[in-house]
Coordinates of all heavy atoms in Angstrom, one line a residue:
D1 N -65.8 23.7 -22.7 CA -65.8 22.4 -22.1 C -64.4 21.8 -21.9 O -64.3 20.8 -21.1 CB -66.7 21.4 -22.9 CG -68.1 21.9 -23.1 OD1 -68.7 22.4 -22.1 OD2 -68.6 21.8 -24.2
V2 N -63.5 22.3 -22.6 CA -62.1 21.7 -22.6 C -61.4 22.0 -21.2 O -61.5 23.1 -20.7 CB -61.3 22.3 -23.7 CG1 -59.8 21.8 -23.7 CG2 -61.9 21.9 -25.1
T3 N -60.8 20.9 -20.7 CA -60.1 21.0 -19.4 C -58.6 21.1 -19.5 O -57.9 21.4 -18.6 CB -60.5 19.8 -18.5 OG1 -60.0 18.6 -19.2 CG2 -62.0 19.7 -18.3
G4 N -58.1 20.9 -20.7 CA -56.6 21.0 -20.9 C -56.3 21.0 -22.4 O -57.0 20.4 -23.2
I5 N -55.2 21.6 -22.7 CA -54.7 21.7 -24.1 C -53.4 20.8 -24.2 O -52.5 20.9 -23.3 CB -54.3 23.1 -24.5 CG1 -55.5 24.1 -24.2 CG2 -53.9 23.2 -26.0 CD1 -56.8 23.8 -25.1
V6 N -53.3 20.1 -25.2 CA -52.1 19.3 -25.5 C -51.5 19.8 -26.8 O -52.2 20.0 -27.8 CB -52.4 17.8 -25.6 CG1 -51.1 17.0 -25.9 CG2 -53.1 17.3 -24.4
V7 N -50.2 20.1 -26.9 CA -49.6 20.7 -28.1 C -48.3 20.1 -28.3 O -47.5 19.8 -27.4 CB -49.5 22.2 -28.0 CG1 -48.6 22.6 -26.8 CG2 -49.0 22.8 -29.3
G8 N -48.0 19.7 -29.6 CA -46.7 19.3 -30.0 C -45.7 20.4 -30.1 O -46.0 21.4 -30.7
V9 N -44.6 20.3 -29.4 CA -43.6 21.4 -29.3 C -42.5 21.2 -30.3 O -41.6 22.0 -30.3 CB -43.0 21.5 -27.9 CG1 -44.1 21.7 -26.8 CG2 -42.2 20.2 -27.5
G10 N -42.6 20.2 -31.2 CA -41.5 20.0 -32.2 C -40.7 18.8 -31.8 O -41.0 18.0 -30.9
P11 N -39.5 18.7 -32.4 CA -38.9 19.7 -33.2 C -39.6 19.9 -34.6 O -40.2 19.0 -35.1 CB -37.5 19.1 -33.5 CG -37.7 17.6 -33.3 CD -38.7 17.5 -32.2
G12 N -39.4 21.1 -35.1 CA -40.0 21.4 -36.4 C -39.5 22.8 -36.9 O -38.9 23.5 -36.2
P13 N -39.8 23.1 -38.2 CA -39.4 24.4 -38.7 C -40.1 25.5 -38.0 O -41.2 25.4 -37.4 CB -39.9 24.2 -40.2 CG -40.0 22.8 -40.4 CD -40.4 22.2 -39.1
Y14 N -39.4 26.7 -38.1 CA -39.8 27.8 -37.2 C -41.2 28.3 -37.4 O -41.9 28.3 -36.4 CB -38.8 29.0 -37.6 CG -39.0 30.2 -36.8 CD1 -38.3 30.3 -35.6 CD2 -39.7 31.3 -37.2 CE1 -38.5 31.5 -34.8 CE2 -39.9 32.4 -36.5 CZ -39.2 32.5 -35.3 OH -39.4 33.7 -34.6
T15 N -41.6 28.6 -38.6 CA -42.9 29.3 -38.8 C -44.1 28.3 -38.4 O -45.0 28.7 -37.6 CB -43.1 29.8 -40.2 OG1 -42.0 30.7 -40.5 CG2 -44.4 30.5 -40.3
G16 N -44.1 27.2 -39.0 CA -45.2 26.3 -38.8 C -45.4 25.9 -37.4 O -46.5 25.8 -36.8
L17 N -44.3 25.6 -36.7 CA -44.3 25.2 -35.3 C -44.9 26.3 -34.4 O -45.7 26.0 -33.5 CB -42.9 24.9 -34.9 CG -42.7 24.5 -33.4 CD1 -43.5 23.2 -33.1 CD2 -41.2 24.2 -33.2
R18 N -44.6 27.5 -34.7 CA -45.1 28.6 -33.8 C -46.6 28.8 -33.9 O -47.3 29.2 -33.0 CB -44.4 29.9 -34.2 CG -43.0 29.9 -33.7 CD -42.3 31.3 -34.0 NE -42.9 32.3 -33.2 CZ -42.5 32.6 -32.0 NH1 -41.6 31.9 -31.4 NH2 -43.1 33.6 -31.3
V19 N -47.2 28.4 -35.1 CA -48.7 28.5 -35.3 C -49.4 27.7 -34.2 O -50.3 28.2 -33.5 CB -49.1 28.1 -36.7 CG1 -50.6 28.0 -36.8 CG2 -48.5 29.1 -37.7
G20 N -49.0 26.5 -34.1 CA -49.7 25.6 -33.1 C -49.4 26.0 -31.7 O -50.3 26.0 -30.8
L21 N -48.2 26.4 -31.4 CA -47.8 26.7 -30.0 C -48.5 28.0 -29.6 O -49.0 28.1 -28.5 CB -46.3 26.9 -29.9 CG -45.6 25.5 -29.8 CD1 -44.1 25.7 -30.1 CD2 -45.8 24.9 -28.4
M22 N -48.6 29.0 -30.4 CA -49.3 30.3 -30.1 C -50.8 30.0 -29.9 O -51.4 30.6 -29.0 CB -49.0 31.3 -31.1 CG -47.6 31.9 -31.1 SD -47.1 32.6 -29.5 CE -48.2 33.9 -29.4
T23 N -51.3 29.2 -30.8 CA -52.8 28.9 -30.6 C -53.0 28.2 -29.3 O -54.0 28.6 -28.6 CB -53.2 28.1 -31.8 OG1 -53.0 28.8 -33.0 CG2 -54.7 27.7 -31.7
A24 N -52.2 27.2 -29.0 CA -52.4 26.5 -27.8 C -52.3 27.3 -26.5 O -53.1 27.3 -25.6 CB -51.4 25.3 -27.7
T25 N -51.2 28.2 -26.5 CA -51.0 29.0 -25.3 C -52.1 30.1 -25.2 O -52.5 30.4 -24.1 CB -49.6 29.6 -25.3 OG1 -49.4 30.4 -26.6 CG2 -48.5 28.6 -25.2
T26 N -52.6 30.5 -26.3 CA -53.7 31.5 -26.3 C -55.0 30.9 -25.7 O -55.6 31.5 -24.9 CB -53.9 32.1 -27.7 OG1 -52.8 32.8 -28.1 CG2 -55.1 33.1 -27.6
F27 N -55.3 29.7 -26.2 CA -56.4 29.0 -25.6 C -56.3 28.8 -24.1 O -57.2 29.0 -23.4 CB -56.6 27.6 -26.3 CG -57.2 27.7 -27.7 CD1 -57.1 26.6 -28.6 CD2 -57.9 28.8 -28.2 CE1 -57.6 26.6 -29.9 CE2 -58.4 28.8 -29.4 CZ -58.3 27.7 -30.3
G28 N -55.1 28.3 -23.7 CA -54.9 28.1 -22.3 C -55.0 29.3 -21.5 O -55.6 29.3 -20.4
A29 N -54.5 30.4 -22.0 CA -54.6 31.7 -21.2 C -56.0 32.2 -21.1 O -56.5 32.7 -20.1 CB -53.7 32.7 -21.8
A30 N -56.7 32.1 -22.2 CA -58.1 32.6 -22.3 C -59.0 31.8 -21.4 O -59.9 32.3 -20.8 CB -58.6 32.6 -23.7
R31 N -58.8 30.5 -21.3 CA -59.7 29.6 -20.5 C -59.1 29.4 -19.1 O -59.9 28.8 -18.3 CB -59.8 28.3 -21.3 CG -60.6 28.4 -22.5 CD -62.1 28.3 -22.2 NE -62.4 27.0 -21.5 CZ -62.8 26.9 -20.3 NH1 -63.0 27.9 -19.5 NH2 -63.0 25.7 -19.7
G32 N -57.9 29.7 -18.9 CA -57.3 29.5 -17.6 C -57.1 28.0 -17.3 O -57.3 27.5 -16.2
I33 N -56.7 27.2 -18.3 CA -56.5 25.8 -18.2 C -55.1 25.4 -18.6 O -54.4 26.2 -19.3 CB -57.5 25.0 -19.1 CG1 -57.4 25.5 -20.6 CG2 -58.9 25.2 -18.6 CD1 -58.3 24.7 -21.5
P34 N -54.6 24.3 -18.1 CA -53.2 23.9 -18.4 C -52.9 23.6 -19.9 O -53.8 23.1 -20.6 CB -52.9 22.7 -17.5 CG -54.3 22.1 -17.3 CD -55.2 23.3 -17.3
V35 N -51.7 23.9 -20.3 CA -51.2 23.6 -21.6 C -50.1 22.6 -21.5 O -49.0 22.9 -20.9 CB -50.8 24.8 -22.4 CG1 -50.3 24.4 -23.8 CG2 -51.9 25.8 -22.5
H36 N -50.2 21.4 -22.0 CA -49.2 20.3 -21.8 C -48.5 20.2 -23.1 O -49.0 19.8 -24.2 CB -49.9 19.0 -21.5 CG -50.8 19.1 -20.3 ND1 -50.4 19.3 -19.0 CD2 -52.2 19.0 -20.2 CE1 -51.4 19.3 -18.2 NE2 -52.5 19.1 -18.9
G37 N -47.2 20.4 -23.1 CA -46.3 20.2 -24.3 C -45.8 18.8 -24.4 O -45.4 18.2 -23.3
L38 N -45.8 18.2 -25.6 CA -45.2 16.9 -25.8 C -44.3 17.0 -27.0 O -44.6 17.7 -28.0 CB -46.3 15.9 -26.1 CG -47.2 15.4 -24.9 CD1 -48.3 14.5 -25.4 CD2 -46.3 14.6 -23.9
C39 N -43.2 16.2 -27.0 CA -42.4 16.1 -28.2 C -43.2 15.5 -29.4 O -43.8 14.5 -29.2 CB -41.2 15.3 -27.9 SG -40.1 15.0 -29.3
T40 N -43.1 16.2 -30.5 CA -43.9 15.7 -31.7 C -43.4 14.3 -32.1 O -44.3 13.5 -32.5 CB -43.7 16.7 -32.8 OG1 -44.3 18.0 -32.5 CG2 -44.3 16.2 -34.1
L41 N -42.2 14.0 -32.0 CA -41.7 12.7 -32.3 C -42.3 11.6 -31.4 O -42.5 10.5 -31.9 CB -40.2 12.6 -32.2 CG -39.4 13.6 -33.1 CD1 -37.9 13.4 -32.9 CD2 -39.7 13.4 -34.6
D42 N -42.6 12.0 -30.2 CA -43.2 11.0 -29.3 C -44.6 10.7 -29.8 O -45.1 9.6 -29.6 CB -43.3 11.6 -27.9 CG -41.9 11.7 -27.2 OD1 -40.9 11.3 -27.8 OD2 -41.9 12.3 -26.1
G43 N -45.3 11.6 -30.4 CA -46.6 11.4 -30.9 C -46.6 10.4 -32.1 O -47.4 9.5 -32.2
V44 N -45.6 10.6 -32.9 CA -45.4 9.6 -34.1 C -45.1 8.2 -33.5 O -45.6 7.2 -34.0 CB -44.3 10.1 -35.0 CG1 -44.1 9.1 -36.2 CG2 -44.6 11.5 -35.5
A45 N -44.2 8.2 -32.5 CA -43.8 6.9 -31.9 C -45.0 6.2 -31.3 O -45.2 5.0 -31.4 CB -42.7 7.1 -30.8
Y46 N -45.9 7.0 -30.6 CA -47.1 6.4 -30.0 C -48.0 5.8 -31.0 O -48.5 4.7 -30.9 CB -47.8 7.4 -29.2 CG -48.9 6.9 -28.3 CD1 -48.6 6.4 -27.0 CD2 -50.2 6.9 -28.7 CE1 -49.6 6.0 -26.1 CE2 -51.2 6.4 -27.8 CZ -50.9 5.9 -26.6 OH -51.9 5.5 -25.8
A47 N -48.2 6.5 -32.1 CA -49.0 6.0 -33.2 C -48.4 4.8 -33.9 O -49.1 3.9 -34.3 CB -49.2 7.2 -34.3
A48 N -47.0 4.8 -34.0 CA -46.4 3.7 -34.6 C -46.6 2.4 -33.7 O -46.8 1.3 -34.2 CB -44.9 3.9 -34.7

């Protein structure tokens, strides 16, 4: 049912950051839907 993936691209430490990005890009490729990257700090700012 999902029409798009949103993923935080960091900045962040190497290993943890790649877990989310690889999952997001895999979902996007498998479903043929767009993957939108956003700066993680922007997400914190929006919540603030």
